[in-house]
Amino acid sequence: MKLKIAVLAGDGIGPEVINQAVKVCDAVAVKYNHEIKWIPALTGAAAIDAVGEPYPDETHKICINADAILFGAIGHPKYDNNPSAKVRPEQGLLKMRKKLGLFANVRPTFTFPSLIDNSPLKRERIEGTDLVFLRELTGGIYFGEKGRKDGGETAFDTCTYTRKEVIRLAKKGFELAMTRSKKLCCVDKANVLESSRLWRETVQAMEKEYPEVEVSYEFVDAVAMRLVQWPNSYDVLITENLFGDILTDEASVISGSMGLMPSASVGENHYLYEPIHGSYPQAAGKNIANPLATILSAAMMFEDAFGLKEEAESIRNVVNKSLAAGVVTEDLSGDNKAYKTSDVGDWLVLNL
């Protein structure tokens, strides 16, 4: 296959981890006789510094014309520490999601046999965990009306959802559940929030279209508790933007490191793949960042965007081998040797 992939390295450790993912993808392309054309584009603080805009029109053109997008991370301390900044890297991320129609964030959480004791949770709590969150990504409080009043002394953010937005996200959840264990959990706060009541009644009305799927409805606070008590009781969970943002970060520590978890943001026509960790500016340029989440995101890209399951599995297998062999960066090495970011990438390429 000929694959055209937009590569948005972004800020902080983004360029370093993206470079390793590109190396691994190129090795897979050689092994399976594919041709990849990489098209780099600016986003985040790097784009603000270059052109004054965190998601430039030129970047958008590159993204809409690509078969898929591989994304690093955005964020920089000079913006994080300045709450009055008019232009921020995160605005570019929200703009990109909205303009590309990336309404569903797909976040798997699973454990690695060789790292199960790295988790802050007990082994018996997390063994067998293999769940997926589908977080609605282009609606809710992040995109609702917001502002200040009373001379700046009162602030407000409005959470707004339409039934259509709920249906399209829930449809993906039901369809994903059908390919797994046919269990779906709708996460809301329907005892308090009107927007959550819309979510719940909409999903309830869809149940008859998927009679094989067992659907449960749980309040977000209860799910937050159960994620650290019995995470392996969940399979597919669907939820709105803010709840999903918080819960998926909570779930990510189950594996033992945020540096291991991949994700995808998908719409009707566009597909973006990215690690769940941030830009980690303290590590930028030091060649110590864990590239495995980005590399596993590339595996998701091969399987989901291109239908290349064997290629994806080859990446996952070699990542598991590297973990078992202790070829890991300092966040996972403990008292053992810590490998550099680029060394991990080189090892994976060599062992593919």
Side-chain angles (χ1 to χ4, degrees), residues 109 111 115-127 129 224-232 250-256:
T109 295
T111 55
L115 294 178
I116 201 158
D117 291 321
N118 283 45
S119 175
L121 302 182
K122 294 178 180 178
R123 170 185 286 262
E124 58 267 28
R125 295 280 187 187
I126 63 172
E127 279 185 317
T129 296
M225 179 178 66
R226 286 186 59 192
L227 274 176
V228 296
Q229 291 180 312
W230 309 288
N232 55 14
E250 181 193 7
S252 72
V253 303
I254 292 170
S255 69

Side-chain angles (χ1 to χ4, degrees), residues 25 35 38 60 78 84 88 94 177 188 201 226 249 254:
C25 289
E35 180 182 328
W38 299 99
H60 183 62
K78 68 181 178 182
S84 63
R88 310 179 65 83
L94 296 179
D188 60 35
E201 70 181 47
R226 286 186 59 192
D249 274 4
I254 292 170

Side-chain angles (χ1 to χ4, degrees), residues 212-242:
E212 295 179 59
V213 178
E214 177 189 342
V215 186
S216 61
Y217 299 86
E218 295 187 34
F219 298 145
V220 61
D221 42 346
V223 174
M225 179 178 66
R226 286 186 59 192
L227 274 176
V228 296
Q229 291 180 312
W230 309 288
N232 55 14
S233 66
Y234 291 116
D235 185 34
V236 178
L237 303 95
I238 58 173
T239 193
E240 58 102 74
N241 208 339
L242 177 60

Side-chain angles (χ1 to χ4, degrees), residues 264-287:
S265 298
V266 302
E268 300 297 343
N269 301 305
H270 302 292
Y271 311 86
L272 181 146
Y273 299 87
E274 62 178 310
I276 69 166
H277 59 67
S279 60
Y280 191 15
Q282 301 91 331
K286 297 181 180 178
N287 201 22

Side-chain angles (χ1 to χ4, degrees), residues 187-203:
V187 184
D188 60 35
K189 193 64 177 171
N191 57 337
V192 176
L193 301 178
E194 191 63 34
S195 57
S196 282
R197 287 190 275 274
L198 175 69
W199 270 78
R200 186 170 290 210
E201 70 181 47
T202 302
V203 176

Side-chain angles (χ1 to χ4, degrees), residues 340-351:
K340 296 296 186 183
T341 307
S342 55
D343 293 336
V344 173
D346 290 340
W347 192 94
L348 294 172
V349 167
L350 185 65
N351 286 272

